[in-house]
Amino acid sequence: MSTPIRPHPPETRSRILDAAEVLFVEHGFEATSMRMITSRAGVNLAAVNYHFGSKDALIQEIFRRRLTELNRQRLAALDKLEAEAGGATLKPSHIVEAFFGTALALAADTEHGGHTFMRLLGRTYTEPNTFVRQFLAEEYAEVLERFLGALYRALPDVPREEILWRFHFMMGAMSYAIAGTDALQLFAGNFDDADPARLMPRLMSFLLGGLRAPLPDHAELEKQRRGGREAA
Amino acid sequence: MSTPIRPHPPETRSRILDAAEVLFVEHGFEATSMRMITSRAGVNLAAVNYHFGSKDALIQEIFRRRLTELNRQRLAALDKLEAEAGGATLKPSHIVEAFFGTALALAADTEHGGHTFMRLLGRTYTEPNTFVRQFLAEEYAEVLERFLGALYRALPDVPREEILWRFHFMMGAMSYAIAGTDALQLFAGNFDDADPARLMPRLMSFLLGGLRAPLPDHAELEKQRRGGREAA
DNA sequence: GTCTATAATCTGATAGAC
DNA sequence: GTCTATCAGATTATAGAC
């Protein structure tokens, strides 16, 4: 039988992935050349094409290896919540924590590139019409369906479109939260508390406040029209 | 005397700016070549260097012409609020509307490229270490000082760092809100309400809910330590 | 698997005629 | 101000030796 764990893993692959991740978040996809990547990784220029086929395939692999694991954790967290609830409706705060807390935990990992990747992900999410967008949509499909469904059930009085928008707003806040430690410094000289351990409760308070905010007028009207019992 | 208004304005300049704005938001700065810009603008390849000097100078000019006007409107809105209040403390919701409402109004302008630019701005804000970041910091310095100061006075019980973070989160939510009409479609097939007129109240409710959310534990403790009168 | 050398293309910028 | 032609350099990707 072949050994399932190789004694000398092909570290060239992961060296390239790690180097590319850092360079992509620093300079963007297009501005990062193969030469920059291979030079930083300490491997030969031709190694990227040998191991991944092309620059685009390398980009895809960067997202695939991280997102598969992140979304697996998210689904596991949601599974756990639903098992504990045993059929009862979940609390919105728990759903939000399962989705965004997992991501923030990854972003707090500065040792193994989790922080780097989450910055990259947050930026890519609203980025140009690259092939990455299509790829992200596929990777996120199942997770979003599960979490949005859970929120719809947890907040039956809130119009679904309102939940969808607020979920989107929350992703924006999270994206800036993760990028923020660097970005805030720029125009806030008096900014001195970038402790990542405090970021989690900070962001969670904000997200839940936004999610549970009073509905805007037109949504409030729609809610009543659907049979809510708010004061006339 | 020379005529202050030219009968035949040099529209080449603005044609280049408009074309570049669209291409930059679609493909990013690096992936957009001079040839793409001049081709779309219908001008000669050499025109960019003649009118702006370099590609980087063109990028700066794109931000300058829009940001100067946007921030002028923001400061005017804040001036008006303070004049009406006559020394009294402003309402947080009014401050937020003056800052984010102005931006959202520009983003609602799809006719003259306002929407395009605001998408570009939202992305650039968390982007690589380009020269644009430094430029943004300078353009934003005065506006941020004024608006943050107003929020500090409007919310004296909230630690300033907490306000700073929440302001940052709000910018993230707005950025995604503006980009969202396109981004949401990707993984939300059931999404059919992209009416920009409804985006404003949607976002404002969310932002204010987040801004006024209960403070996270450590911030709550700090508030009490500073002399707040919350229950022990 | 790793390397060198190179093909084929694209880039920003400029010189100089009009 | 606009145009053509072109420079000098960088880009991805690959062919082929080791």
Side-chain angles (χ1 to χ4, degrees):
Chain A
M1 293 209 308
S2 64
T3 54
I5 300 174
R6 303 177 223 178
H8 232 306
E11 68 170 342
T12 297
R13 251 187 83 96
S14 50
R15 286 175 66 86
I16 292 174
L17 288 170
D18 292 342
E21 210 169 49
V22 173
L23 290 170
F24 283 150
V25 76
E26 260 175 34
H27 306 103
F29 297 120
E30 299 284 341
T32 302
S33 69
M34 303 282 240
R35 280 162 181 80
M36 291 163 72
I37 296 169
T38 52
S39 165
R40 182 185 174 103
V43 302
N44 187 270
L45 170 61
V48 170
N49 278 283
Y50 176 80
H51 285 280
F52 301 95
S54 71
K55 185 181 179 181
D56 282 0
L58 167 64
I59 295 175
Q60 277 212 4
E61 179 57 20
I62 286 178
F63 282 89
R64 200 205 53 75
R65 71 164 177 168
R66 299 272 189 192
L67 274 186
T68 300
E69 172 60 13
L70 173 61
N71 284 337
R72 191 197 60 72
Q73 288 179 21
R74 281 168 161 163
L75 289 176
L78 187 55
D79 285 341
K80 185 157 174 270
L81 284 181
E82 288 178 343
E84 287 171 0
T89 313
L90 299 182
K91 287 181 66 175
S93 64
H94 289 167
I95 300 171
V96 168
E97 268 171 37
F99 189 90
F100 293 96
T102 309
L104 227 56
L106 179 56
D109 162 40
T110 53
E111 294 288 318
H112 307 88
H115 180 74
T116 302
F117 172 73
M118 286 306 295
R119 285 194 60 180
L120 184 61
L121 178 61
R123 249 182 335 104
T124 306
Y125 185 78
T126 58
E127 238 180 26
N129 290 321
T130 57
F131 64 96
V132 186
R133 288 279 298 274
Q134 177 61 29
F135 180 71
L136 282 187
E138 291 166 13
E139 281 282 334
Y140 263 103
E142 183 190 357
V143 175
L144 281 173
E145 191 188 329
R146 287 282 311 275
F147 275 86
L148 284 174
L151 279 176
Y152 293 159
R153 286 188 293 278
L155 300 165
D157 291 340
V158 182
R160 292 188 168 195
E161 268 170 15
E162 206 63 35
I163 294 178
L164 187 54
W165 273 107
R166 289 185 175 188
F167 197 83
H168 188 60
F169 297 159
M170 287 191 276
M171 295 197 68
M174 183 187 71
S175 169
Y176 270 48
I178 292 170
T181 306
D182 305 330
L184 269 182
Q185 299 276 16
L186 259 187
F187 42 64
N190 55 336
F191 178 74
D192 59 350
D193 181 9
D195 183 358
R198 292 188 172 180
L199 182 56
M200 176 86 89
R202 271 193 224 280
L203 181 62
M204 284 300 159
S205 297
F206 180 87
L207 296 183
L208 289 172
L211 178 60
R212 295 192 284 224
L215 296 176
D217 287 349
H218 75 86
E220 187 64 36
L221 286 174
E222 187 155 339
K223 171 187 161 186
Q224 290 176 29
R225 188 160 52 76
R226 286 191 193 176
R229 302 284 172 82
E230 211 76 22
Chain B
M1 297 208 306
S2 65
T3 54
I5 299 174
R6 303 177 223 178
H8 232 306
E11 66 170 342
T12 296
R13 250 187 83 96
S14 50
R15 287 176 64 86
I16 292 174
L17 288 170
D18 292 341
E21 210 168 49
V22 173
L23 289 170
F24 283 149
V25 76
E26 261 175 33
H27 305 103
F29 296 122
E30 299 283 341
T32 302
S33 69
M34 304 282 241
R35 283 160 180 84
M36 289 165 71
I37 296 170
T38 52
S39 165
R40 181 185 175 104
V43 303
N44 188 269
L45 170 61
V48 170
N49 278 284
Y50 176 80
H51 284 279
F52 300 95
S54 70
K55 185 182 178 181
D56 282 0
L58 166 64
I59 295 175
Q60 277 211 4
E61 178 58 20
I62 286 179
F63 282 89
R64 200 206 51 77
R65 73 164 175 167
R66 299 271 189 193
L67 274 186
T68 300
E69 172 61 14
L70 172 62
N71 284 337
R72 194 197 58 74
Q73 287 180 19
R74 281 168 161 163
L75 289 175
L78 187 55
D79 286 340
K80 185 156 174 270
L81 284 181
E82 288 179 343
E84 287 171 359
T89 313
L90 299 183
K91 288 181 65 174
S93 63
H94 289 167
I95 300 171
V96 168
E97 269 170 36
F99 188 90
F100 293 96
T102 309
L104 228 54
L106 179 55
D109 162 39
T110 54
E111 295 287 318
H112 307 88
H115 179 75
T116 302
F117 172 73
M118 286 307 294
R119 286 194 59 179
L120 184 62
L121 178 62
R123 256 191 321 111
T124 307
Y125 185 78
T126 58
E127 238 182 28
N129 291 322
T130 57
F131 65 97
V132 186
R133 288 279 298 273
Q134 177 60 32
F135 180 71
L136 282 186
E138 291 166 14
E139 281 283 332
Y140 262 104
E142 185 190 357
V143 176
L144 281 173
E145 190 187 330
R146 287 282 312 274
F147 275 86
L148 284 174
L151 280 176
Y152 294 159
R153 285 188 292 278
L155 299 164
D157 290 340
V158 182
R160 292 188 171 197
E161 269 171 13
E162 205 64 35
I163 294 178
L164 188 54
W165 273 107
R166 290 185 174 188
F167 197 82
H168 189 59
F169 298 158
M170 288 191 276
M171 296 197 67
M174 184 188 70
S175 170
Y176 270 48
I178 291 170
T181 306
D182 306 328
L184 269 184
Q185 298 278 16
L186 260 188
F187 42 64
N190 55 338
F191 178 74
D192 60 348
D193 182 9
D195 184 358
R198 291 186 172 183
L199 182 56
M200 177 85 90
R202 273 194 222 279
L203 181 62
M204 284 301 160
S205 297
F206 181 87
L207 295 183
L208 289 172
L211 179 61
R212 294 191 286 223
L215 296 176
D217 288 347
H218 75 84
E220 187 65 35
L221 286 174
E222 187 155 339
K223 171 184 161 188
Q224 290 175 30
R225 189 160 52 75
R226 287 190 191 178
R229 303 281 172 85
E230 210 76 22

